[in-house]
Amino acid sequence: MKCAITSVATAFLLSGASAFTVPQTGITTSPRSPCLPTQPTVNTPQTPSTSRFSPLFMGRAAAVRAATKGKTDAKKAKVNGYYGKKIIMAVKSGGSPDPVANRQLGEVIKAAKQNSVPADNISRAIKRATDKDAGDFAESTFEAYGYGGASLIINVLSDNPNRSNADVKSAINKNNGKIAESGSVLFMYDLKGKIEIPSVVDEEDLLMAAIDNDVDDMELIEGDEEGTSIVYTDPKETGAMFEAVKSLGLEEGAKMSLTHVSKAPVECSEEDFDKNMNIIEALEELDDVDSVEHNMSN
């Protein structure tokens, strides 16, 4: 006990503190044998992190942004490629690379511009169409079944029907989908004109603009992404509906197309939905496939 008391007294004297006050220091003593001197241990202050998010979180956020950009770029490339092939078709079928003399070409070029296809792409497609080795493109449609009652319509524009036929069937079969007989899926859909607008649209304003442009059939819904809108109309009135959108100053970034809309949408389970999306993504990666439409509501 004497050694212990002497050690405590020595510690107080060295610290310069009174025996009746508690010393306020950044030094603590580690428990030791009573007869051995104690060794001071300095508490190292912890430096607070300057980042609000962990590196893992920031890495995931960057990955999500990269994936989103990749999908947007791929979609844009699909649109550009589609109109490039349509221009070649129009030049060959119309017999002239002049959009004034070739009315069909003029309509395709107009639609391409409305879908933000660069002018250079349009010029290259017209020039390519006049080459002797330019392929003869033809449109075709495939029908298929997925999981959970889902059905698919695959729109193809290709200069090699044998290749596109083999590629589409392979993509569906590898993902356990099933090719359907011609007409067994299409009857469950309506062909509609579709205008995608990258902003929220006031329905009353759009309705008045549609009336002013002699549009009789119009349906406005929310777009697939937040802050966007989709307008469906009669296929024959698609051009007039786009003019109505332009009259509201909403043509920037708007896209016009024809699409199949399901008469009876189905809601799939999460598992079936993911499996169906695997089929769709595999098809969309094919160069000859221009779009894939489905009846899933979720």
Side-chain angles (χ1 to χ4, degrees), residues 132-160:
K132 293 181 180 180
D133 59 348
D136 294 320
F137 287 94
E139 293 177 302
S140 58
T141 302
F142 292 84
E143 302 165 56
Y145 295 113
Y147 293 83
S151 59
L152 308 173
I153 297 176
I154 303 102
N155 300 302
V156 171
L157 182 54
S158 174
D159 60 349
N160 189 328

Side-chain angles (χ1 to χ4, degrees), residues 2 4 43 79 110 157 167 189 245 255:
K2 183 177 180 181
N43 292 331
V79 171
K110 181 181 178 181
L157 182 54
D167 288 347
Y189 292 76
V245 171
K255 292 179 173 57

Side-chain angles (χ1 to χ4, degrees), residues 139-202:
E139 293 177 302
S140 58
T141 302
F142 292 84
E143 302 165 56
Y145 295 113
Y147 293 83
S151 59
L152 308 173
I153 297 176
I154 303 102
N155 300 302
V156 171
L157 182 54
S158 174
D159 60 349
N160 189 328
N162 291 331
R163 179 190 64 217
S164 60
N165 183 62
D167 288 347
V168 168
K169 289 182 178 179
S170 176
I172 293 172
N173 292 332
K174 282 182 179 179
N175 290 278
N176 298 316
K178 182 181 178 182
I179 288 288
E181 293 183 7
S182 179
S184 61
V185 169
L186 274 172
F187 83 95
M188 297 185 288
Y189 292 76
D190 287 324
L191 184 63
K192 294 277 188 180
K194 179 181 180 181
I195 299 174
E196 300 171 80
I197 306 171
S199 60
V200 177
V201 181
D202 182 273

